[in-house]
Amino acid sequence: MSAIREAGKADIPLLVLQHRMMFEEIRALMQKSPDPAKLAAMDECYREKLLGQLSTPACAAFLAVEGGHAAGSVGVSIVSMVPVPEDPQDRVAYIHSLYVEKAFRSRGIARGLMSRAVDHCRALGIVRVQLAASAAGKPLYESMGFAPLFQAMGLRLYPS
């Protein structure tokens, strides 16, 4: 059984690595090769985000440790969004970067990490918890009560 603990600044290199591994696996399933330069830029931006926000009210991360090895991790960022009738506050939790290393899968680690992340949000009084689901993660999230909210659309603005 893995132990789940809150991550600290010393864990940032591991959190950045597992964040990258998550995207590499997702892209491999999509048969897309990510640009190494963009991956490096993503790593640096995520590292800076964690350095500035980890262990503040804006961001938390949790690690699942099994046999002395960090088997997986998850992050929670608190963002400001518009209030809605069901939730008149502007604080929304965004769960991100859920990753469990292949050798540790199918042991309930992802569920444990998600439960810890949701409990963290509940303790902060957060009513809305959102995430972006990969096909592999969707069954877990649905079993925990997550449901599609709406068909989101986005406009990507590229530098000219």
Side-chain angles (χ1 to χ4, degrees):
M1 186 67 160
S2 60
I4 297 176
R5 67 168 177 83
E6 190 160 359
K9 298 228 182 209
D11 299 307
I12 289 175
L14 174 65
L15 295 169
V16 170
L17 174 64
Q18 289 189 344
H19 179 78
R20 175 191 271 246
M21 292 168 68
M22 175 193 70
F23 276 105
E24 288 175 337
E25 281 189 34
I26 291 169
R27 295 303 189 268
L29 290 171
M30 298 168 58
Q31 298 181 345
K32 291 184 177 182
S33 297
D35 178 342
K38 288 184 179 178
L39 283 174
M42 176 191 74
D43 290 349
E44 183 57 28
C45 187
Y46 194 50
R47 181 178 298 104
E48 290 299 316
K49 172 194 174 42
L50 293 173
L51 280 170
Q53 295 180 355
L54 193 62
S55 302
T56 73
C59 183
F62 302 94
L63 291 173
V65 180
E66 190 166 307
H69 183 80
S73 58
V74 66
V76 180
S77 291
I78 308 303
V79 297
S80 177
M81 296 182 74
V82 298
V84 297
E86 297 78 17
D87 179 19
Q89 66 176 324
D90 71 339
R91 294 182 321 142
V92 177
Y94 183 74
I95 295 179
H96 56 85
S97 311
L98 177 63
Y99 183 77
V100 176
E101 292 191 10
K102 288 180 182 180
F104 295 92
R105 292 184 185 163
S106 300
R107 298 183 190 182
I109 294 172
R111 181 174 299 281
L113 286 164
M114 281 296 297
S115 292
R116 183 69 182 270
V118 169
D119 287 347
H120 174 77
C121 298
R122 190 175 286 118
L124 293 174
I126 302 288
V127 175
R128 283 184 284 169
V129 179
Q130 298 178 353
L131 53 81
S134 67
K138 196 172 179 184
L140 169 65
Y141 305 137
E142 288 174 343
S143 76
M144 296 184 76
F146 285 83
L149 295 175
F150 49 83
Q151 181 63 39
M153 295 181 67
L155 175 63
R156 183 171 297 156
L157 300 175
Y158 292 100
S160 50

